[in-house]
Amino acid sequence: MKILLVEDDKLLGDGIAAGIAQSGLAVDWVLDGQQADTALATGNYDAVVLDLGLPSLSGMELLRRARASGKTLPILILTARDAVEDRVAGLDAGADDYLVKPFDLTELQARLRALLRRSNGHAEPVISHGELRVDPASHSVYWSGKSVDLSAREFTILHTLLLNAGRVMSKAHIEEQLYGWGEEIESNTIEVFIHHLRRKLSPQLIRTIRGVGYMIEKITP
């Protein structure tokens, strides 16, 4: 899954970007509101972490534009503005969460997991799918009760397919979930990861839809 980070403080932004990536999420980082507006118009993101005090275009104006254009992705405001009226204004403008600086990185990671989980219709923190159990918080995976060791990118692909169970994910979409700007992608990378997941879990878990992409079947209760 991919996050857009909008933060003009280079030192802080570097740390936040590293923390988001550490939690298994791809991240694109921009330094001003106008860049963020362009990124949202041209890219596909699962959530936004948004500072308010930005050059070029304020965080509040960016938030209003995003909601006015019909974008429904979760937006978490991350700011030093801690007054109650600022929080109320941010939430009323369309933010889904509001975290005040200074903050603990583990709390930001947990809030992002919660936003992503709810935006994909999952109330429970652990995703269950037949014999498969996936815990995004600990990056732990169990098949038939046995722990399975996955690489960070194998986990991200599995998590993405599970959150979209019943829908076909194109190779290009999966690549977007794995890589941020400037990261080199080899032509057969996704195929290799899918092969590893089938070998470690089950050959039948992930279906290949020829010419389209990959999917995990939805299990109906």
Side-chain angles (χ1 to χ4, degrees):
M1 308 193 81
K2 181 174 281 190
I3 308 300
L4 178 64
L5 170 63
V6 192
E7 172 59 64
D8 67 323
D9 184 311
K10 292 185 178 180
L11 184 61
L12 180 59
D14 188 57
I16 296 171
I20 292 173
Q22 186 182 53
S23 65
L25 302 168
V27 56
D28 288 341
W29 170 27
V30 296
L31 295 162
D32 66 56
Q34 196 59 58
Q35 290 178 342
D37 194 40
T38 300
L40 283 173
T42 58
N44 294 311
Y45 296 97
D46 296 285
V48 180
V49 176
L50 176 65
D51 186 23
L52 292 182
L54 298 170
S56 301
L57 184 70
S58 75
M60 285 294 288
E61 180 58 27
L62 178 67
L63 174 60
R64 293 190 185 99
R65 287 190 185 188
R67 294 313 189 208
S69 68
K71 294 193 178 297
T72 59
L73 79 171
I75 298 177
L76 184 153
I77 290 176
L78 187 62
T79 179
R81 301 179 188 177
D82 61 353
V84 172
E85 54 266 30
D86 289 321
R87 298 181 192 223
V88 170
L91 294 169
D92 281 347
D96 299 275
D97 202 354
Y98 195 108
L99 185 59
V100 175
K101 302 172 183 176
F103 61 94
D104 190 284
L105 188 57
T106 58
E107 181 179 1
L108 173 61
Q109 292 169 335
R111 286 175 183 251
L112 275 175
R113 286 194 299 270
L115 288 174
L116 292 169
R117 186 170 65 241
R118 291 197 296 271
S119 70
N120 283 280
H122 293 272
E124 294 294 326
V126 176
I127 302 173
S128 298
H129 188 280
E131 297 297 313
L132 181 64
R133 301 287 183 276
V134 174
D135 185 350
S138 63
H139 274 218
S140 57
V141 177
Y142 293 87
W143 181 266
S144 297
K146 296 181 179 179
S147 178
V148 180
D149 185 29
L150 299 184
S151 71
R153 284 182 168 158
E154 288 168 358
F155 183 92
T156 298
I157 291 175
L158 178 64
H159 189 209
T160 298
L161 291 172
L162 280 174
L163 288 177
N164 293 278
R167 289 183 285 179
V168 182
M169 297 286 103
S170 69
K171 178 181 174 182
H173 181 84
I174 295 172
E175 286 175 344
E176 284 188 349
Q177 307 303 301
L178 289 179
Y179 299 98
W181 291 333
E183 291 187 81
E184 187 175 348
I185 307 171
E186 295 183 13
S187 60
N188 67 338
T189 298
I190 302 303
E191 288 87 347
V192 170
F193 287 139
I194 294 292
H195 171 74
H196 289 167
L197 285 169
R198 286 170 172 158
R199 178 173 53 83
K200 292 179 179 182
L201 298 169
S202 167
Q204 287 76 43
L205 178 65
I206 301 172
R207 285 184 57 198
T208 298
I209 310 300
R210 293 198 178 278
V212 184
Y214 302 95
M215 71 177 292
I216 290 178
E217 296 282 2
K218 189 178 183 67
I219 296 178
T220 54

PDB file of all heavy atoms in Angstrom, residues 5 7 11-21 27 49 78 101 103 105 108:
ATOM      1  N   LEU A   5       3.218  11.334   1.745  1.00  0.00           N
ATOM      2  CA  LEU A   5       3.637  12.144   2.889  1.00  0.00           C
ATOM      3  C   LEU A   5       3.852  13.571   2.409  1.00  0.00           C
ATOM      4  O   LEU A   5       4.610  13.799   1.459  1.00  0.00           O
ATOM      5  CB  LEU A   5       4.926  11.579   3.492  1.00  0.00           C
ATOM      6  CG  LEU A   5       5.631  12.449   4.543  1.00  0.00           C
ATOM      7  CD1 LEU A   5       4.752  12.664   5.771  1.00  0.00           C
ATOM      8  CD2 LEU A   5       6.973  11.830   4.932  1.00  0.00           C
ATOM      9  N   GLU A   7       5.207  16.956   3.905  1.00  0.00           N
ATOM     10  CA  GLU A   7       5.913  17.528   5.053  1.00  0.00           C
ATOM     11  C   GLU A   7       7.083  18.366   4.549  1.00  0.00           C
ATOM     12  O   GLU A   7       7.927  17.870   3.809  1.00  0.00           O
ATOM     13  CB  GLU A   7       6.421  16.396   5.966  1.00  0.00           C
ATOM     14  CG  GLU A   7       7.339  16.832   7.086  1.00  0.00           C
ATOM     15  CD  GLU A   7       6.710  17.839   8.015  1.00  0.00           C
ATOM     16  OE1 GLU A   7       5.717  17.480   8.690  1.00  0.00           O
ATOM     17  OE2 GLU A   7       7.207  18.984   8.069  1.00  0.00           O
ATOM     18  N   LEU A  11      14.276  17.257   7.737  1.00  0.00           N
ATOM     19  CA  LEU A  11      14.770  16.313   8.739  1.00  0.00           C
ATOM     20  C   LEU A  11      13.631  15.461   9.279  1.00  0.00           C
ATOM     21  O   LEU A  11      13.744  14.225   9.361  1.00  0.00           O
ATOM     22  CB  LEU A  11      15.466  17.062   9.887  1.00  0.00           C
ATOM     23  CG  LEU A  11      16.123  16.194  10.961  1.00  0.00           C
ATOM     24  CD1 LEU A  11      17.218  15.325  10.346  1.00  0.00           C
ATOM     25  CD2 LEU A  11      16.696  17.070  12.078  1.00  0.00           C
ATOM     26  N   LEU A  12      12.528  16.102   9.634  1.00  0.00           N
ATOM     27  CA  LEU A  12      11.375  15.370  10.153  1.00  0.00           C
ATOM     28  C   LEU A  12      10.774  14.471   9.071  1.00  0.00           C
ATOM     29  O   LEU A  12      10.438  13.306   9.317  1.00  0.00           O
ATOM     30  CB  LEU A  12      10.331  16.348  10.674  1.00  0.00           C
ATOM     31  CG  LEU A  12       9.044  15.745  11.251  1.00  0.00           C
ATOM     32  CD1 LEU A  12       9.354  14.814  12.419  1.00  0.00           C
ATOM     33  CD2 LEU A  12       8.084  16.845  11.686  1.00  0.00           C
ATOM     34  N   GLY A  13      10.642  15.005   7.864  1.00  0.00           N
ATOM     35  CA  GLY A  13      10.060  14.229   6.774  1.00  0.00           C
ATOM     36  C   GLY A  13      10.866  12.983   6.470  1.00  0.00           C
ATOM     37  O   GLY A  13      10.296  11.919   6.193  1.00  0.00           O
ATOM     38  N   ASP A  14      12.184  13.101   6.534  1.00  0.00           N
ATOM     39  CA  ASP A  14      13.042  11.947   6.281  1.00  0.00           C
ATOM     40  C   ASP A  14      12.785  10.853   7.313  1.00  0.00           C
ATOM     41  O   ASP A  14      12.702   9.672   6.978  1.00  0.00           O
ATOM     42  CB  ASP A  14      14.506  12.383   6.311  1.00  0.00           C
ATOM     43  CG  ASP A  14      15.450  11.290   5.857  1.00  0.00           C
ATOM     44  OD1 ASP A  14      15.295  10.788   4.739  1.00  0.00           O
ATOM     45  OD2 ASP A  14      16.347  10.927   6.648  1.00  0.00           O
ATOM     46  N   GLY A  15      12.637  11.244   8.575  1.00  0.00           N
ATOM     47  CA  GLY A  15      12.362  10.271   9.629  1.00  0.00           C
ATOM     48  C   GLY A  15      10.995   9.634   9.501  1.00  0.00           C
ATOM     49  O   GLY A  15      10.837   8.423   9.687  1.00  0.00           O
ATOM     50  N   ILE A  16       9.986  10.450   9.151  1.00  0.00           N
ATOM     51  CA  ILE A  16       8.634   9.916   8.988  1.00  0.00           C
ATOM     52  C   ILE A  16       8.577   8.954   7.804  1.00  0.00           C
ATOM     53  O   ILE A  16       7.989   7.874   7.890  1.00  0.00           O
ATOM     54  CB  ILE A  16       7.616  11.054   8.793  1.00  0.00           C
ATOM     55  CG1 ILE A  16       7.549  11.937  10.041  1.00  0.00           C
ATOM     56  CG2 ILE A  16       6.229  10.488   8.490  1.00  0.00           C
ATOM     57  CD1 ILE A  16       6.723  13.193   9.850  1.00  0.00           C
ATOM     58  N   ALA A  17       9.200   9.351   6.695  1.00  0.00           N
ATOM     59  CA  ALA A  17       9.205   8.494   5.506  1.00  0.00           C
ATOM     60  C   ALA A  17       9.857   7.155   5.810  1.00  0.00           C
ATOM     61  O   ALA A  17       9.372   6.095   5.391  1.00  0.00           O
ATOM     62  CB  ALA A  17       9.922   9.194   4.348  1.00  0.00           C
ATOM     63  N   ALA A  18      10.969   7.202   6.564  1.00  0.00           N
ATOM     64  CA  ALA A  18      11.652   5.954   6.924  1.00  0.00           C
ATOM     65  C   ALA A  18      10.769   5.094   7.819  1.00  0.00           C
ATOM     66  O   ALA A  18      10.722   3.864   7.678  1.00  0.00           O
ATOM     67  CB  ALA A  18      12.969   6.273   7.625  1.00  0.00           C
ATOM     68  N   GLY A  19      10.042   5.726   8.749  1.00  0.00           N
ATOM     69  CA  GLY A  19       9.161   4.980   9.645  1.00  0.00           C
ATOM     70  C   GLY A  19       7.989   4.357   8.918  1.00  0.00           C
ATOM     71  O   GLY A  19       7.585   3.225   9.212  1.00  0.00           O
ATOM     72  N   ILE A  20       7.425   5.070   7.931  1.00  0.00           N
ATOM     73  CA  ILE A  20       6.329   4.516   7.142  1.00  0.00           C
ATOM     74  C   ILE A  20       6.820   3.328   6.325  1.00  0.00           C
ATOM     75  O   ILE A  20       6.175   2.282   6.253  1.00  0.00           O
ATOM     76  CB  ILE A  20       5.718   5.599   6.232  1.00  0.00           C
ATOM     77  CG1 ILE A  20       5.005   6.656   7.074  1.00  0.00           C
ATOM     78  CG2 ILE A  20       4.742   4.980   5.228  1.00  0.00           C
ATOM     79  CD1 ILE A  20       4.508   7.855   6.273  1.00  0.00           C
ATOM     80  N   ALA A  21       7.999   3.490   5.714  1.00  0.00           N
ATOM     81  CA  ALA A  21       8.567   2.399   4.927  1.00  0.00           C
ATOM     82  C   ALA A  21       8.890   1.198   5.804  1.00  0.00           C
ATOM     83  O   ALA A  21       8.723   0.045   5.390  1.00  0.00           O
ATOM     84  CB  ALA A  21       9.818   2.879   4.199  1.00  0.00           C
ATOM     85  N   VAL A  27       6.114   4.768   0.177  1.00  0.00           N
ATOM     86  CA  VAL A  27       5.832   6.168   0.498  1.00  0.00           C
ATOM     87  C   VAL A  27       6.442   7.087  -0.548  1.00  0.00           C
ATOM     88  O   VAL A  27       7.574   6.889  -0.978  1.00  0.00           O
ATOM     89  CB  VAL A  27       6.349   6.521   1.914  1.00  0.00           C
ATOM     90  CG1 VAL A  27       7.834   6.230   2.053  1.00  0.00           C
ATOM     91  CG2 VAL A  27       6.044   7.964   2.271  1.00  0.00           C
ATOM     92  N   VAL A  49      -0.534  11.491   4.715  1.00  0.00           N
ATOM     93  CA  VAL A  49      -0.106  12.083   5.981  1.00  0.00           C
ATOM     94  C   VAL A  49       0.233  13.528   5.668  1.00  0.00           C
ATOM     95  O   VAL A  49       1.152  13.816   4.891  1.00  0.00           O
ATOM     96  CB  VAL A  49       1.109  11.344   6.573  1.00  0.00           C
ATOM     97  CG1 VAL A  49       1.589  12.048   7.837  1.00  0.00           C
ATOM     98  CG2 VAL A  49       0.745   9.896   6.889  1.00  0.00           C
ATOM     99  N   LEU A  78      -0.946  15.800  10.413  1.00  0.00           N
ATOM    100  CA  LEU A  78       0.187  15.690  11.334  1.00  0.00           C
ATOM    101  C   LEU A  78       0.781  17.082  11.471  1.00  0.00           C
ATOM    102  O   LEU A  78       1.433  17.581  10.550  1.00  0.00           O
ATOM    103  CB  LEU A  78       1.218  14.704  10.769  1.00  0.00           C
ATOM    104  CG  LEU A  78       2.402  14.329  11.648  1.00  0.00           C
ATOM    105  CD1 LEU A  78       1.932  13.635  12.926  1.00  0.00           C
ATOM    106  CD2 LEU A  78       3.359  13.431  10.888  1.00  0.00           C
ATOM    107  N   LYS A 101       2.266  17.108  16.677  1.00  0.00           N
ATOM    108  CA  LYS A 101       3.709  17.020  16.890  1.00  0.00           C
ATOM    109  C   LYS A 101       4.059  17.661  18.235  1.00  0.00           C
ATOM    110  O   LYS A 101       3.444  18.652  18.610  1.00  0.00           O
ATOM    111  CB  LYS A 101       4.469  17.774  15.785  1.00  0.00           C
ATOM    112  CG  LYS A 101       4.176  17.302  14.379  1.00  0.00           C
ATOM    113  CD  LYS A 101       4.846  18.251  13.369  1.00  0.00           C
ATOM    114  CE  LYS A 101       4.530  17.867  11.942  1.00  0.00           C
ATOM    115  NZ  LYS A 101       5.086  18.837  10.979  1.00  0.00           N
ATOM    116  N   PHE A 103       5.315  13.602  18.257  1.00  0.00           N
ATOM    117  CA  PHE A 103       4.525  12.382  18.327  1.00  0.00           C
ATOM    118  C   PHE A 103       5.462  11.183  18.367  1.00  0.00           C
ATOM    119  O   PHE A 103       6.659  11.291  18.080  1.00  0.00           O
ATOM    120  CB  PHE A 103       3.606  12.270  17.103  1.00  0.00           C
ATOM    121  CG  PHE A 103       4.372  12.212  15.810  1.00  0.00           C
ATOM    122  CD1 PHE A 103       4.710  11.001  15.230  1.00  0.00           C
ATOM    123  CD2 PHE A 103       4.788  13.381  15.191  1.00  0.00           C
ATOM    124  CE1 PHE A 103       5.449  10.944  14.065  1.00  0.00           C
ATOM    125  CE2 PHE A 103       5.523  13.334  14.006  1.00  0.00           C
ATOM    126  CZ  PHE A 103       5.851  12.119  13.451  1.00  0.00           C
ATOM    127  N   LEU A 105       6.512   7.679  16.732  1.00  0.00           N
ATOM    128  CA  LEU A 105       6.396   7.068  15.414  1.00  0.00           C
ATOM    129  C   LEU A 105       5.534   5.815  15.436  1.00  0.00           C
ATOM    130  O   LEU A 105       4.785   5.544  14.489  1.00  0.00           O
ATOM    131  CB  LEU A 105       7.785   6.740  14.867  1.00  0.00           C
ATOM    132  CG  LEU A 105       7.863   6.264  13.416  1.00  0.00           C
ATOM    133  CD1 LEU A 105       7.241   7.274  12.465  1.00  0.00           C
ATOM    134  CD2 LEU A 105       9.312   5.994  13.031  1.00  0.00           C
ATOM    135  N   LEU A 108       1.941   6.835  15.090  1.00  0.00           N
ATOM    136  CA  LEU A 108       1.604   7.173  13.709  1.00  0.00           C
ATOM    137  C   LEU A 108       1.399   5.903  12.889  1.00  0.00           C
ATOM    138  O   LEU A 108       0.432   5.802  12.124  1.00  0.00           O
ATOM    139  CB  LEU A 108       2.716   8.024  13.088  1.00  0.00           C
ATOM    140  CG  LEU A 108       2.574   8.318  11.590  1.00  0.00           C
ATOM    141  CD1 LEU A 108       1.298   9.092  11.296  1.00  0.00           C
ATOM    142  CD2 LEU A 108       3.801   9.071  11.066  1.00  0.00           C
TER     143      LEU A 108
END
